[in-house]
Each structure stands twice: as structure tokens, then as C-alpha cells.
């Protein structure tokens, strides 16, 4: 496995819609997924999409959120190939998001609270799940990457974006009563 270079805001690959994977069972795809996993862990992210490592393919990974995730410090990762997502309700919430392709910055983004997602794993098995909370948010963020969309185009307010230190000092303190204070890791 190898750690890959992460593309950053300004590189056009982040604004391209990705192509579906045709050769799902190919070893090349497995290698991409392993390398993306190592890259995400190294960068302390919670999700990563292929365009973030300069690959125009519908592949995304994210840390698996379950009760026993911290047993033995084991990190479980879900890889989704050719994913589809849909909302379960119209309910939304607003949270601060970061992105490994926009390091040091945070933005306040509205997302659906509950979604369904479906895709294939690297063995060609169908993964079909419902998600809410952080998992729903990360999946929507990564899916957006596959569509060439960055969270900066989904800000609830154009002022709700900036360097994380400034956001901590200004936004979170000023708006403590209005907004949830939770900070997300980069994805
Ligand atoms: Zn991102």
C-alpha cells in the first residue's frame, strides 16, 4: 500500500463528475481502495473520495461507524463503488465540515439527516444501508466529491466559512446558542 498525494481546492479534478467503475473485481480497483484507506488514515480523515487522490472513478471510502469501532484500536473502513444515495426524510441539519482537499478550513453545511445508500464493495457484493447523523453526513460529503461538488458550494451562509482557528474564535463562540458546536474531522 502507499500513501497518495491529496488533490487540493483549485485542481480541476475536484470539479469533475467521475465515471462509474466497469472492472469492479480488477486488482487495480482493490489497490486503489487500499491506497485510499492508507491515505485517509495517514491524513486523519474520516472519508475520502477518488478525485481527492486524482482518480476519476466512482469510489469512496469512509470510516465505519459502529459501537465496537474502538476495540483493539481497529479502524474499519467501508468502501463503496458506484454508489447511489437518496434521502429518507426532508429533515436537514447544519454542521461544520472540513475536507482533506481544503486543509485548515471549515464551513457550515446543511445536509439531510437520514439517507439510504447503496453501492458495491471490492468483491462485487451489494452494500445497502440506511444512515443518519455523522455517517449520513460523511456519505453525502463523499458522494458530492464523486459528482464534482465541494462543500464550499453548499454553505448555509457565505460567511460561515474560514480558517478553523477563526471559526473557533468567532463563529462558534458568537453563535453558540444558535448552532451546534460539534466539529467534524476532515473528509
Ligand atoms: Zn472532502
Amino acid at each position: 500500500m502507499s500513501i497518495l498525494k491529496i488533490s487540493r481546492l483549485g485542481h480541476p479534478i475536484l470539479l469533475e463528475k467521475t465515471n462509474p467503475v466497469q472492472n469492479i473485481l480488477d486488482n487495480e480497483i482493490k489497490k486503489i481502495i487500499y491506497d485510499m484507506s492508507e491515505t485517509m488514515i495517514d491524513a486523519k480523515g474520516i472519508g475520502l473520495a477518488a478525485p481527492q487522490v486524482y482518480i476519476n472513478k466512482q469510489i469512496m471510502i469512509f470510516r465505519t461507524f459502529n459501537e465496537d469501532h474502538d476495540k483493539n484500536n481497529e479502524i474499519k473502513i467501508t468502501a463503496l463503488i458506484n454508489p447511489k444515495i437518496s434521502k429518507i426524510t426532508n429533515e436537514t441539519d447544519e454542521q461544520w465540515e472540513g475536507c482533506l482537499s481544503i486543509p485548515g478550513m471549515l464551513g457550515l453545511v446543511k445536509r439531510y439527516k437520514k439517507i439510504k445508500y447503496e453501492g458495491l464493495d471490492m468483491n462485487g457484493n451489494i452494500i445497502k444501508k440506511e444512515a443518519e447523523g455523522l455517517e449520513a453526513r460523511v456519505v453525502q460529503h463523499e458522494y458530492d466529491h464523486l459528482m464534482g461538488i465541494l462543500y464550499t458550494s453548499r454553505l448555509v451562509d457565505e460567511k460561515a466559512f474560514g480558517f478553523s482557528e477563526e471559526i473557533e474564535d468567532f463563529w462558534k463562540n458568537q453563535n453558540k446558542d444558535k448552532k451546534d458546536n460539534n466539529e467534524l474531522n476532515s473528509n
Side-chain angles (χ1 to χ4, degrees):
M1 294 200 291
S2 26
I3 293 168
L4 306 171
K5 188 181 171 196
I6 295 176
S7 58
R8 295 196 302 172
L9 179 66
H11 195 287
I13 194 157
L14 290 169
L15 303 177
E16 281 171 21
K17 215 174 154 183
T18 50
N19 297 312
V21 177
Q22 310 290 349
N23 49 339
I24 289 154
L25 299 178
D26 205 294
N27 280 336
E28 178 212 350
I29 302 301
K30 290 188 176 66
K31 180 165 173 18
I32 290 171
I33 290 171
Y34 287 130
D35 287 348
M36 282 175 65
S37 301
E38 196 177 5
T39 304
M40 180 183 77
I41 291 167
D42 178 69
K44 299 182 173 61
I46 54 173
L48 190 71
Q52 294 184 277
V53 289
Y54 303 89
I55 295 170
N56 181 311
K57 288 187 192 303
Q58 291 183 10
I59 302 173
M60 56 187 255
I61 62 167
F62 51 94
R63 294 203 184 199
T64 306
F65 305 90
N66 57 20
E67 319 73 48
D68 52 26
H69 72 281
D70 50 7
K71 259 187 211 164
N72 310 322
N73 278 336
E74 194 179 285
I75 296 170
K76 286 191 182 143
I77 294 170
T78 299
L80 276 186
I81 301 169
N82 300 344
K84 299 267 178 293
I85 66 171
S86 57
K87 62 183 179 188
I88 295 176
T89 72
N90 282 322
E91 270 183 275
T92 56
D93 65 356
E94 297 175 0
Q95 292 282 350
W96 293 95
E97 288 186 17
C99 180
L100 293 176
S101 295
I102 313 172
M105 315 288 280
L106 291 175
L108 191 60
V109 183
K110 187 189 280 186
R111 302 276 187 194
Y112 290 113
K113 274 183 158 177
K114 291 184 182 173
I115 59 155
K116 283 191 274 198
Y117 63 83
E118 191 177 335
L120 298 169
D121 70 13
M122 66 170 94
N123 298 312
N125 301 311
I126 293 173
I127 297 175
K128 212 173 183 175
K129 241 192 115 195
E130 293 187 359
E132 55 186 314
L134 181 59
E135 183 178 8
R137 179 164 290 271
V138 173
V139 170
Q140 289 170 88
H141 178 114
E142 301 313 331
Y143 183 81
D144 267 355
H145 274 301
L146 301 183
M147 297 296 122
I149 298 166
L150 297 172
Y151 79 76
T152 45
S153 60
R154 293 199 189 278
L155 298 173
V156 301
D157 180 328
E158 63 181 13
K159 285 183 271 184
F161 173 65
F163 290 102
S164 51
E165 292 88 352
E166 307 298 338
I167 297 292
E168 296 290 345
D169 288 349
F170 176 69
W171 263 92
K172 290 192 180 176
N173 292 327
Q174 289 242 326
N175 299 295
K176 223 168 204 156
D177 304 331
K178 282 197 298 186
K179 305 292 180 200
D180 195 333
N181 238 2
N182 288 343
E183 185 183 326
L184 281 174
N185 293 313
S186 292
N187 50 79

